[in-house]
Amino acid sequence: MPWQTPKAVEDDPEALERVQALIASPGYRQADRDVEFLNEEDTRGVRLQIDYLKPELLLKKHGIEHTIVVFGSTRLHQPEAARRKVADLEEASAGSPENEDLRRRLQVAKAIESKSRYYEEARRLGRLVAECGEGPEDSRVTMVTGGGPGIMEAANRGAFDVGAKSVGLNITLPHEQFPNPYITPDLCFRFHYFAMRKLHFLKRAKALVAFPGGYGTLDELFETLTLVQTRTIAPLPIVLVGESFWRHAVNIDFLVDEGVIDEEDRELFWYAETAEEIWDGIRHWHRASGSPLPNNN
């Protein structure tokens, strides 16, 4: 066909060079393969759509209907790792007793160690969720985390222990990060927009479980509480794991006494300590509300 070859050099010696310049120009790039174009200000709407759509299609493909969402600190590692950190800092501090920085780091490490038991509780919860339904291949109810280390790793790891799928919703951040190694590969997503990540956290959520954590955990917790309080989403179980931690971190009674939230807003969540207590409470809530989760084997 005549358009499959450039214009003959004999007819125009400069034609080939001009055609090559046209093909190399940004305007000639196919739009869906033009990364520079897709990153422009005016194409944000398209990026939001595909940030939402890719995980949505894969979640549907894997048959994931309901999710149990777990948040918690990235710094709460398994107890063995926490004990090693304390031992290393105790040794360093003993050799430099006047070092205030070491003393402070040791104090923090001991606080982390005291909460490291929640890693094992999150891991057990991951197993309990994974066993809901008709075995590991039944993905109707699936564990979802933010995909990072610490408590999120533990919850994904629990599902991994019994050969079940679990989801990790990671996010692009200025500093490099890695997903934890226990997420199902096809269900490990990386979002550009926090808004789309938050949407997927709650779209299928049948419970939100918040272990001790920092800003990220507080952000997701209070956003969910606000959506439930304002009737923007249907009510769902919200469980705060570690009553002592949460009563220090967030003084709900003070907010009620100050009149900035209603008395009934205390009932939007409850406290728990163990994986079994968390899971039994979630299942009871759904039975009582007429929407029971699939039975265990």
Side-chain angles (χ1 to χ4, degrees):
M1 304 295 255
W3 56 81
Q4 291 180 303
T5 57
K7 187 176 180 67
V9 175
E10 293 84 357
D11 296 332
D12 184 347
E14 298 178 357
L16 178 59
E17 184 178 344
R18 287 200 295 271
V19 169
Q20 289 172 335
L22 289 169
I23 292 172
S25 69
Y28 192 77
R29 293 176 200 149
Q30 190 170 305
D32 62 345
R33 299 184 182 183
D34 188 344
V35 175
E36 188 176 318
F37 164 71
L38 290 173
N39 283 327
E40 289 183 2
E41 179 77 16
D42 291 336
T43 54
R44 179 173 285 114
V46 175
R47 295 198 302 274
L48 282 162
Q49 289 178 32
I50 59 178
D51 215 33
Y52 163 77
L53 188 58
K54 182 179 179 181
E56 178 68 12
L57 294 178
L58 282 167
L59 290 167
K60 286 181 178 178
K61 179 181 177 181
H62 284 265
I64 295 171
E65 300 175 9
H66 312 299
T67 57
I68 305 299
V69 182
V70 169
F71 295 111
S73 177
T74 61
R75 306 176 189 196
L76 294 185
H77 299 291
Q78 58 199 83
E80 298 87 350
R83 285 193 289 270
R84 285 199 305 271
K85 183 71 171 178
V86 168
D88 289 344
L89 285 169
E90 283 179 335
E91 183 178 352
S93 186
S96 184
E98 303 303 320
N99 190 318
E100 289 295 331
D101 179 61
L102 277 175
R103 187 178 302 172
R104 170 62 182 161
R105 287 165 58 194
L106 177 57
Q107 181 183 0
V108 170
K110 287 181 177 179
I112 291 293
E113 183 190 16
S114 72
K115 293 185 288 293
S116 64
R117 62 189 174 87
Y118 290 120
Y119 182 99
E120 294 303 330
E121 297 299 338
R123 187 174 178 179
R124 274 210 305 280
L125 178 62
R127 288 196 290 268
L128 290 171
V129 173
E131 291 166 350
C132 179
E134 299 175 359
E137 294 304 313
D138 185 352
S139 300
R140 286 175 294 167
V141 181
T142 303
M143 175 64 68
V144 173
T145 77
I151 291 297
M152 295 174 285
E153 172 189 294
N156 289 122
R157 189 174 184 178
F160 180 86
D161 289 340
V162 294
K165 296 175 183 177
S166 71
V167 181
L169 306 183
N170 222 306
I171 186 78
T172 299
L173 295 173
H175 55 275
E176 185 178 11
Q177 60 170 350
F178 297 98
N180 73 67
Y182 304 106
I183 306 165
T184 302
D186 283 354
L187 298 172
C188 184
F189 305 113
R190 184 170 66 168
F191 289 86
H192 180 77
Y193 294 104
F194 271 97
M196 291 299 104
R197 182 177 183 242
K198 289 172 179 288
L199 187 157
H200 276 294
F201 271 132
L202 288 180
K203 184 178 179 188
R204 295 171 170 82
K206 290 299 177 182
L208 182 142
V209 182
F211 284 81
Y215 285 151
T217 302
L218 290 166
D219 173 42
E220 302 295 347
L221 170 62
F222 276 99
E223 184 166 57
T224 305
L225 286 170
T226 301
L227 290 171
V228 173
Q229 183 204 45
T230 58
R231 311 299 192 268
T232 304
I233 63 173
L236 76 163
I238 299 173
V239 188
L240 306 188
V241 186
E243 183 172 356
S244 176
F245 172 86
W246 284 110
R247 286 194 179 276
H248 280 83
V250 184
N251 192 335
I252 297 295
D253 294 335
F254 172 77
L255 298 179
V256 172
D257 292 343
E258 289 293 305
V260 295
I261 63 173
D262 291 332
E263 184 83 27
E264 65 185 27
D265 292 331
R266 275 195 259 241
E267 307 305 317
L268 296 179
F269 64 89
W270 73 83
Y271 299 107
E273 296 297 329
T274 68
E276 291 75 17
E277 189 180 354
I278 298 163
W279 188 229
D280 288 346
I282 291 170
R283 292 176 66 80
H284 173 76
W285 189 98
H286 281 286
R287 284 194 300 270
S289 65
S291 57
L293 298 173
N295 291 324
N296 294 72
N297 290 334

